[in-house]
Amino acid sequence: MKQFEPSIAQSTAIGASRGRRWVVSRPIYAAAPPPPATAPPPAAALPHAAAVAAVEEEEVVVDYEKLAKGLESASPLEIVDEALKRFGGDIAIAFSGAEDVALIEYARLTGRPFRVFSLDTGRLNPETYRFFDAVEKHYGIHIEYMFPDAVEVQGLVRSKGLFSFYEDGHQECCSIRKVRPLKRALKGLRAWITGQRKDQSPGTRAHIPLVQVDPSFEGMGGGIGSLIKWNPLATVEGKDIWNFIRTMGVPVNLLHSQGYVSIGCEPCTRPVLPGQHEREGRWWWEDAKAKECGLHKGNINANGSQEVVINRDGALRTNSVNGVADIFETQAIVNLHRQGIDNLLKLENRVEPWLVVLYAPWCGFCQGMETSFVELAEKLSGSGVKVGKFRADGDQKQFAQKELRLGSFPTIIFFPKHASRPVKYPSERRDVDSLLAFVNALR
Ligand code: SF4
């Protein structure tokens, strides 16, 4: 196995972290015991006395950008080994109950001791709970489960019901059931290992590094920069993970054999069809750009979009600072601005019916249907049906949701010749024949 020596730097450049090397580890959920009622208020910087006695620290500055580059040709096994070697008992694998079980297998293969934690949201599929049990027995480990705060869950469910995420988005529920328990877990660690892969989400995971200073969460040292995030599978493709899992005889979640690829909570996860992207099975009623539950929110940039757009010929286009390269660019598709779509909404008798895609150019699913929609537009050219596109993100989103029935991107609507309200295309099938059947049924 290759050795990756730490790169010691003199200053804290971007991507470098002044880390403390703790010689002892604490349980993930451990908090310092409260002071006695009679004691004076403790100085925030003073750790608990027992910890002072047990902990020895040395200042090390590691350039994690440089380390990530050095790991580019390393295998996942080598990266997991490196992570465990550096952080010992202060690092844990975040296990979601899906194919990231491969991380546990890699950890086993290193021969080093390792810890695993998981977030039990209370809304997982029965198959996932069985899978956790099978993994514990297979590896002889105890997964350190993290649970949401009961009072917070109670407050949410009593005020908004059990399925509020379908109405007002998944962030609130995910924040209570996932993000806050994760924060508590990470506060007991100096590093964590995730199963994130670049190929999991064209919208949010295209740029994840093999190792990084965690851009969002804090570790036990406190403050941004106190936690290191390892993504040993970042550059591995899903099919290679599956080959590894099968070869090693690792237990798998039975949901995978029912068409589930990406697995989360039961109400927010569904199977995908062959050829559909795995993230289409998660929070399918929302924008692609929001398809992170908050566990990896550092993947979403400040304006909520991905950095790169993929052309339909597969070439990459880079976002500009103020705009995103457009899609559906063909003479057969009319680019409608707000006034144009307003006019369409007002007309009761149109000269021609219109088929319009509501889209956002950064959306991976819009990019995914670009080829078929352009082909459809070219087929309909001169047929008496006009085809248009309306960019419905940003300032236009609220209007599109209210007036145009925008759900998630892309939404396709049809303005019949003699009706004022548009008809929404109800299917997720975006091939030319299915779209054409819809148009022909309504024209
Ligand atoms: Fe709640 Fe769904 Fe998020 Fe699970 S995935 S925490 S059920 S919103």
Side-chain angles (χ1 to χ4, degrees):
M1 211 173 275
K2 290 178 198 164
Q3 298 298 310
F4 301 95
E5 294 306 320
S7 164
I8 311 293
Q10 295 304 313
S11 66
T12 51
I14 295 171
S17 168
R18 183 174 294 280
R20 291 183 170 83
R21 275 195 191 283
W22 302 100
V23 175
V24 294
S25 67
R26 303 173 197 172
I28 278 180
Y29 45 81
T38 53
L46 289 179
H48 185 252
V52 172
V55 172
E56 170 193 324
E57 58 180 290
E58 65 187 79
E59 289 287 328
V60 177
V61 178
V62 179
D63 184 338
Y64 281 98
E65 279 183 15
K66 199 168 168 191
L67 179 61
K69 275 204 168 17
L71 290 169
E72 269 168 12
S73 58
S75 68
L77 176 58
E78 289 169 323
I79 299 169
V80 171
D81 186 66
E82 182 67 15
L84 295 178
K85 184 180 83 181
R86 282 173 182 259
F87 290 96
D90 293 338
I91 188 170
I93 295 168
F95 176 44
S96 73
E99 80 274 22
D100 53 355
V101 67
L103 290 173
I104 302 178
E105 180 65 13
Y106 283 123
R108 181 188 72 82
L109 289 170
T110 67
R112 297 180 189 274
F114 62 90
R115 298 167 66 189
V116 179
F117 76 95
S118 192
L119 308 176
D120 182 351
T121 63
R123 302 298 294 264
L124 303 176
N125 294 76
E127 289 86 348
T128 302
Y129 290 110
R130 298 250 182 245
F131 179 46
F132 285 146
D133 186 56
V135 167
E136 288 191 325
K137 290 195 167 78
H138 183 82
Y139 290 102
I141 59 172
H142 288 298
I143 296 172
E144 298 172 53
Y145 297 105
M146 299 300 296
F147 299 93
D149 181 274
V151 174
E152 288 183 6
V153 173
Q154 197 170 283
L156 173 70
V157 173
R158 284 189 181 177
S159 62
K160 292 191 167 182
L162 282 163
F163 297 94
S164 58
F165 35 83
Y166 291 141
E167 305 297 325
D168 57 11
H170 71 268
Q171 274 79 10
E172 186 177 11
C173 181
C174 276
S175 167
I176 291 171
R177 292 181 187 271
K178 289 183 170 182
V179 179
R180 285 179 210 161
L182 175 70
K183 277 186 181 165
R184 271 189 276 124
L186 297 178
K187 280 294 283 178
L189 297 171
R190 289 196 301 125
W192 60 314
I193 304 176
T194 86
Q196 288 192 102
R197 301 195 318 273
K198 294 185 182 198
D199 71 349
Q200 283 172 319
S201 176
T204 58
R205 298 194 176 179
H207 305 292
I208 48 176
L210 292 165
V211 58
Q212 64 190 134
V213 175
D214 195 300
S216 310
F217 296 109
E218 299 180 10
M220 67 166 75
I224 293 297
S226 57
L227 185 72
I228 304 305
K229 186 174 183 180
W230 294 76
N231 309 301
L233 308 180
T235 56
V236 184
E237 289 186 20
K239 65 177 172 32
D240 295 325
I241 296 289
W242 277 101
N243 286 338
F244 174 69
I245 285 173
R246 284 191 202 101
T247 305
M248 304 307 289
V250 172
V252 293
N253 191 323
L254 291 179
L255 291 173
H256 290 302
S257 60
Q258 298 167 30
Y260 289 78
V261 180
S262 176
I263 296 174
C265 294
E266 182 276 332
C268 303
T269 309
R270 63 178 182 178
V272 291
L273 295 167
Q276 267 190 306
H277 194 277
E278 64 184 76
R279 296 304 274 187
E280 289 193 66
R282 303 293 296 279
W283 305 295
W284 54 92
W285 62 95
E286 294 183 11
D287 294 355
K289 76 174 177 182
K291 288 194 179 195
E292 292 288 356
C293 53
L295 305 191
H296 304 295
K297 63 184 179 182
N299 295 339
I300 299 176
N301 68 19
N303 63 10
S305 73
Q306 66 190 88
E307 299 290 350
V308 169
V309 177
I310 302 165
N311 274 334
R312 55 193 164 111
D313 59 5
L316 294 179
R317 298 189 294 220
T318 308
N319 287 0
S320 67
V321 175
N322 297 316
V324 180
D326 208 0
I327 54 177
F328 303 118
E329 290 180 294
T330 164
Q331 287 193 336
I333 298 179
V334 179
N335 189 11
L336 292 164
H337 295 289
R338 174 64 181 269
Q339 195 177 353
I341 201 101
D342 271 341
N343 287 342
L344 268 181
L345 274 170
K346 280 181 204 145
L347 290 171
E348 299 237 335
N349 283 306
R350 299 174 188 89
V351 179
E352 293 160 316
W354 280 76
L355 183 75
V356 178
V357 60
L358 310 178
Y359 75 105
W362 45 260
C363 162
F365 305 106
C366 299
Q367 294 158 23
M369 69 164 275
E370 189 180 17
T371 303
S372 57
F373 199 75
V374 168
E375 190 183 327
L376 175 78
E378 283 161 1
K379 270 195 173 154
L380 288 173
S381 180
S383 72
V385 178
K386 300 282 275 184
V387 180
K389 63 176 183 176
F390 176 65
R391 183 170 173 172
D393 61 340
D395 293 349
Q396 302 302 330
K397 189 170 172 188
Q398 218 175 353
F399 155 75
Q401 285 171 326
K402 193 160 169 249
E403 303 294 336
L404 302 171
R405 305 181 61 199
L406 171 70
S408 56
F409 290 117
T411 289
I412 299 166
I413 51 176
F414 188 78
F415 292 88
K417 219 169 164 180
H418 302 296
S420 59
R421 305 307 299 168
V423 181
K424 186 170 170 176
Y425 179 62
S427 169
E428 299 231 346
R429 297 178 67 99
R430 291 161 190 157
D431 58 284
V432 177
D433 290 342
S434 303
L435 290 165
L436 207 49
F438 172 67
V439 170
N440 287 335
L442 297 176
R443 61 188 299 177

